[in-house]
Amino acid sequence: MLGPVRAWRGGTPLPLGPVRRQAVLAAPALRPGFLVSHEQLPDGIRGAGPPNSGRKVLPSYVCALRQALDAESAGPAPRSP
């Protein structure tokens, strides 16, 4: 089993939140070179057949991670068309 996922900006640790949110960040990192779709992400975190609630909370996990990881001066990321 892996330990907690951590990230820093400079020497300051970033608040990545609870374990499941950390898993959202770690899942694509564990599959370098492969695209992990939003349909596949809950399966990688909870295993095959995650509950519907897992799919519902995924956007909130991603939003919180983006806020934690985005550079403070960068502002919101541009949206794709």
Side-chain angles (χ1 to χ4, degrees):
M1 178 166 218
L2 297 174
V5 175
R6 296 188 176 131
W8 291 265
R9 181 177 299 116
T12 305
L14 301 176
L16 299 181
V19 172
R20 291 195 200 276
R21 192 182 307 159
Q22 294 173 29
V24 169
L25 181 61
L30 294 173
R31 299 181 67 189
F34 293 94
L35 177 65
V36 179
S37 72
H38 69 277
E39 290 91 5
Q40 295 169 321
L41 202 48
D43 292 340
I45 296 166
R46 302 271 317 229
N52 285 336
S53 63
R55 297 188 192 286
K56 292 178 185 174
V57 298
L58 184 59
S60 67
Y61 288 171
V62 171
C63 181
L65 285 167
R66 287 184 70 176
Q67 288 176 348
L69 296 171
D70 283 347
E72 292 176 6
S73 62
R79 292 188 177 261
S80 300

